[in-house]
Amino acid sequence: MNDLIQQTAKYLVAARHVVALTGAGISVESGIPPFRGEGGLWEKYDPMEFAHINSFMKNPEKVWKIFMGDMKKVLLAAKPNDAHLGLARLEQLGILKTVITQNVDGLHQMAGNTDVIEFHGNFAWLRCLQCDKRFKTVEVDLSEAPPKCTCGGIFRPECVFFGEMIPPIALTRSQEESSQCDVMLVVGTSALVQPAAFMPVLAQQSGATVIEINPEPTPLTGRISKFLVAGKAGQIMNEILSEVNSLIQSQKQ
Ligand code: OAD
């Protein structure tokens, strides 16, 4: 058994308030590509051309057709993997309180987590740019790009584009949770995009133990995080859960 898995389990079982910050890496094992690194979306598309609000407003058809055309198939078919299910199990055990996610895929909610802060919004809802009505993405005909509302207006997804503000409630709640937690699990994020990447810094500065799960080191590694458990989120989470269960069992005896 990896010593860092044992240490992580001990921190989790002893904690008073655990928060997880997740990024695209946690959904890789569900078939959703990450943004950076091997096979990442930003290798294929220039984020400023396809994920900036100005590009979307200038040419929604292009953004919907290329970037979102690819994404919607993947997002609408994806299912939670062992890492999402592990975080849901940690909540059921009374250990994990809140998930702050940069992902727009809704997989944490699907896995069973009940307090999920969607830092970059979500793809589950679309909003009409003309009449402001919201519709569930699955209920909208996405065959034409851009999809249109009954009023004739163009739909946008409720995710945050580059150049847009973080939804204020998501930002405020994330700051509160990060400054109040005593353990933060940082799973599958490159920690390169602000202000999300500041949440572990806030947690650490407020006295929390920050633990990363990622196959690669990040700018937080060795500076903000206590340690990095290196590996894929699903497998690592299964090992952590198994150790957490043994610790709980031994405490009962
Ligand atoms: P990134 O694509 O930047 O980083 C993904 C991270 O996941 C990397 O650090 C990988 O090493 C790691 N990773 C890959 N496979 C993994 C696995 N199986 N298990 C665990 N980790 C794995 O994604 P984010 O950090 O989420 O913003 O990116 C942050 C933001 O940048 C996104 O929310 C998006 C993007 O531009 C907006 O769209 C506004």
Side-chain angles (χ1 to χ4, degrees):
M1 162 78 63
N2 180 338
D3 176 48
L4 294 180
I5 302 269
Q6 277 178 336
Q7 282 196 50
T8 306
K10 278 188 192 153
Y11 275 112
L12 289 173
V13 171
R16 166 186 53 76
H17 186 138
V18 180
V19 168
L21 170 71
T22 67
I26 198 169
S27 296
V28 164
E29 290 156 83
S30 294
I32 301 178
F35 295 96
R36 297 169 187 81
E38 211 189 306
L41 282 177
W42 300 156
E43 262 184 359
K44 206 163 143 193
Y45 303 117
D46 172 1
M48 289 307 125
E49 203 184 333
F50 290 99
H52 197 285
I53 187 62
N54 294 347
S55 323
F56 181 77
M57 296 310 272
K58 213 162 104 192
N59 195 345
E61 183 184 346
K62 177 174 145 183
V63 175
W64 265 111
K65 246 188 194 154
I66 301 180
F67 177 50
M68 289 166 181
D70 262 16
M71 282 302 282
K72 76 181 184 223
K73 281 184 232 131
V74 177
L75 287 179
L76 296 178
K79 296 275 174 294
N81 64 53
D82 285 350
H84 301 102
L85 296 170
L87 290 182
R89 183 75 192 126
L90 284 178
E91 180 184 318
Q92 284 160 9
L93 289 169
I95 293 175
L96 177 68
K97 189 169 169 289
T98 302
V99 178
I100 304 169
T101 188
Q102 296 164 86
N103 301 341
V104 297
D105 54 31
L107 293 181
H108 288 300
Q109 294 92 323
M110 220 187 276
N113 281 106
T114 58
D115 188 23
V116 180
I117 303 174
E118 295 182 310
F119 205 83
H120 290 155
N122 62 68
F123 195 76
W125 290 87
L126 303 181
R127 192 158 49 77
C128 174
L129 289 173
Q130 192 163 283
C131 71
D132 217 36
K133 259 200 211 146
R134 293 167 81 237
F135 290 85
K136 280 192 172 160
T137 307
V138 286
E139 287 166 5
V140 170
D141 174 13
L142 296 175
S143 57
E144 75 166 321
K148 293 211 180 87
C149 178
T150 42
C151 78
I154 288 169
F155 279 124
R156 63 156 293 166
E158 287 220 320
C159 43
V160 175
F161 284 91
F162 281 111
E164 289 193 296
M165 274 174 52
I166 304 301
I169 294 175
L171 181 59
T172 313
R173 276 218 62 219
S174 298
Q175 287 167 332
E176 277 168 15
E177 289 295 329
S178 302
S179 56
Q180 285 167 11
C181 66
D182 56 353
V183 173
M184 179 182 269
L185 289 179
V186 179
V187 189
T189 176
S190 61
L192 290 171
V193 174
Q194 296 294 356
F198 186 66
M199 298 305 130
V201 179
L202 189 55
Q204 192 255 8
Q205 285 175 350
S206 311
T209 301
V210 176
I211 299 170
E212 284 184 275
I213 301 173
N214 197 313
E216 308 281 341
T218 75
L220 303 173
T221 315
R223 209 171 53 89
I224 297 299
S225 58
K226 180 110 183 156
F227 52 80
L228 164 77
V229 190
K232 293 185 178 174
Q235 188 196 330
I236 299 288
M237 201 61 77
N238 283 342
E239 292 179 29
I240 292 172
L241 249 305
S242 139
E243 190 59 17
V244 163
N245 284 328
S246 323
L247 286 176
I248 293 174
Q249 283 309 318
S250 62
Q251 280 177 352
K252 281 186 188 156
Q253 283 158 11

